[in-house]
Amino acid sequence: FPGQTDLSRQFERYLDAVQAIYAKLPGDWRLFTEHKMYEPAFYSTVVQDWGTNLLIAQHLGEQAFCLVDLGHHAPNTNIEQIVARLIWAGKLGGFHFNDSKYGDDDLDTGSVAPFRLFLVFNELVAAEGKAGFNPAHMLDQSHNVTDPIESLMSSAMEVQRAYAAASLVDRTALAGHQEGNDALMAAATLKQAFRTDVEPILAMARLEGGGAIDPIAAYRQAGYRAKVAAVRP
């Protein structure tokens, strides 16, 4: 409720606690903090947005970074812009990939907004090679109506698809359109890469790596779920 807590002291108590954890962090570890605009509270959540998250990472030190969960933002939030800002600040730690329609739905990655996923990876590909740029890629989903293993396979392939498509963006042409303020052609350049069928590339990579061209079909044909269910009912 309004007035329920001292908003400044609330944040100070959080910093006191996380600083105690950070002080004990092994030298080769990184600490990721994750912002979320709601849950457990709506009026005031302590780490409610990427700005607060960035303040925390900057306050703690070089081993502290921001984690971006795609479901932790208000509908229509420009997540790729947040990613770009955190890259600029050198504080992008990584991602919890999932998808959502209304909030933290934890749906399979790419199931609702595949173009948004592509736009996030467009920023990541553009940042490759920058000093200290090493984001972690994780899946954070809730598989209530699907086989969890199949969903994880599907989501991993969607992440790969978005990365492959973003790697096809003609960055020279895109930069020229941006400098010339040609919004239509800049968007068309991105869409051309997004609409390119990269599945043959991904299928060949899986085959050359000793995997199945169609992992979900191979998984179903193997009958793995039924075998494991018999052992672990």
Side-chain angles (χ1 to χ4, degrees), residues 108 146-155 157 216 219-220 225:
D108 291 4
T146 61
D147 181 320
I149 296 177
E150 291 184 359
S151 275
L152 290 173
M153 287 181 181
S154 174
S155 294
M157 289 188 288
I216 294 178
Y219 166 76
R220 290 189 171 192
R225 183 176 179 84

Side-chain angles (χ1 to χ4, degrees), residues 53-77:
N53 204 1
L54 177 58
L55 286 174
I56 293 166
Q58 291 174 330
H59 180 78
L60 291 177
E62 294 182 355
Q63 291 174 254
F65 297 86
C66 302
L67 186 71
V68 177
D69 186 309
L70 299 189
H72 286 193
H73 306 83
N76 303 318
T77 297

Side-chain angles (χ1 to χ4, degrees), residues 29-156:
W29 284 33
R30 294 188 293 169
L31 185 147
F32 295 164
T33 54
E34 185 179 48
H35 57 274
K36 190 172 188 178
M37 65 174 294
Y38 47 78
E39 196 179 279
F42 283 87
Y43 174 74
S44 171
T45 296
V46 179
V47 189
Q48 84 285 4
D49 58 25
W50 72 273
T52 299
N53 204 1
L54 177 58
L55 286 174
I56 293 166
Q58 291 174 330
H59 180 78
L60 291 177
E62 294 182 355
Q63 291 174 254
F65 297 86
C66 302
L67 186 71
V68 177
D69 186 309
L70 299 189
H72 286 193
H73 306 83
N76 303 318
T77 297
N78 192 333
I79 299 176
E80 59 269 23
Q81 186 176 37
I82 294 173
V83 171
R85 294 291 185 269
L86 293 177
I87 291 172
W88 180 88
K91 285 297 186 180
L92 179 66
F95 295 89
H96 276 175
F97 286 117
N98 48 46
D99 215 333
S100 67
K101 184 68 174 177
Y102 297 104
D104 195 18
D105 303 344
D106 276 345
L107 300 177
D108 291 4
T109 304
S111 60
V112 175
F115 188 56
R116 180 177 66 185
L117 181 65
F118 164 81
L119 292 175
V120 168
F121 270 95
N122 179 58
E123 298 300 325
L124 297 179
V125 170
E128 287 181 345
K130 288 189 176 183
F133 180 72
N134 183 31
H137 297 149
M138 295 170 276
L139 300 176
D140 178 19
Q141 302 170 176
S142 180
H143 310 119
N144 295 316
V145 296
T146 61
D147 181 320
I149 296 177
E150 291 184 359
S151 275
L152 290 173
M153 287 181 181
S154 174
S155 294

Side-chain angles (χ1 to χ4, degrees), residues 9-25 31 33 46-47 56 59-60:
R9 284 290 300 130
Q10 180 189 60
F11 189 50
E12 290 167 358
R13 285 193 294 270
Y14 173 86
L15 288 176
D16 286 344
V18 76
Q19 276 183 300
I21 297 170
Y22 185 82
K24 301 293 184 179
L25 205 64
L31 185 147
T33 54
V46 179
V47 189
I56 293 166
H59 180 78
L60 291 177

